[in-house]
Amino acid sequence: MKWLDLLREGASRAADKAQRTVEVTRTSAQIAGKRKQIRNVMRQIGASVYEAYKNGDFTASGPEVVRLSAQIEEMEREIGNLELELQRLNREKTCSCGKVVPYNARFCPDCGKRFETAPETINAALEVEGSLRCVKCDAELEADDRFCIRCGSDQSALSRQE
């Protein structure tokens, strides 16, 4: 009966992954839609400014530009929230330096910053995919990682010493 349990577990994991893929696709489509809306509003701003130019009074477009710019700011906030949701679905987080890293990373591979994440959360996260390994702790790394995501060691400095 153990094989039946394994089969059920595999089917459950596949269903979870399929659901996450659907959610990622839906969220990505929402982001793309918001960006398209922003481009359309920017066109409206341009048309308003050009119309004011044709009439010889740039200040006439001011209220319309302010109103449309506020719409863009709101859509950009919505995109930011959707991007955070996308990171959650992909089990990623963003370092203060801007690098997107796996959720279980303890250190940023780009700047070396330590993440304040509870160990039980890190252990529950999926393993980092990669083919390179840290020269100090043997964690898997990406090709462009300058610092280890687990121990924070500088990979270029350690590999030169050895």
Side-chain angles (χ1 to χ4, degrees), residues 20-97:
R20 193 171 66 238
T21 301
V22 167
E23 291 177 27
V24 164
T25 302
R26 180 185 52 80
T27 305
S28 296
Q30 288 176 326
I31 291 171
K34 293 285 179 196
R35 289 190 174 136
K36 185 177 180 180
Q37 288 176 345
I38 287 173
R39 286 190 301 274
N40 288 335
V41 172
M42 286 183 174
R43 281 188 203 98
Q44 291 174 12
I45 289 172
S48 176
V49 169
Y50 180 69
E51 196 61 38
Y53 165 77
K54 284 189 342 186
N55 295 330
D57 183 14
F58 276 113
T59 59
S61 66
E64 181 71 0
V65 169
V66 169
R67 183 184 68 78
L68 293 171
S69 295
Q71 285 181 7
I72 290 174
E73 285 180 341
E74 177 59 29
M75 286 185 274
E76 286 175 341
R77 276 192 291 275
E78 292 170 6
I79 288 172
N81 290 333
L82 289 168
E83 287 175 337
L84 288 174
E85 175 65 12
L86 200 55
Q87 281 188 351
R88 184 191 66 77
L89 291 169
N90 288 326
R91 296 182 177 120
E92 298 172 331
K93 59 187 171 186
T94 303
C95 180
S96 57
C97 73

Side-chain angles (χ1 to χ4, degrees), residues 112-139:
K113 177 188 174 283
R114 181 179 179 86
F115 293 107
E116 300 301 323
T117 306
E120 61 273 8
T121 305
I122 292 170
N123 292 335
L126 295 175
E127 283 297 314
V128 179
E129 293 181 17
S131 58
L132 299 177
R133 298 213 169 258
C134 174
V135 294
K136 187 172 182 183
C137 73
D138 201 39

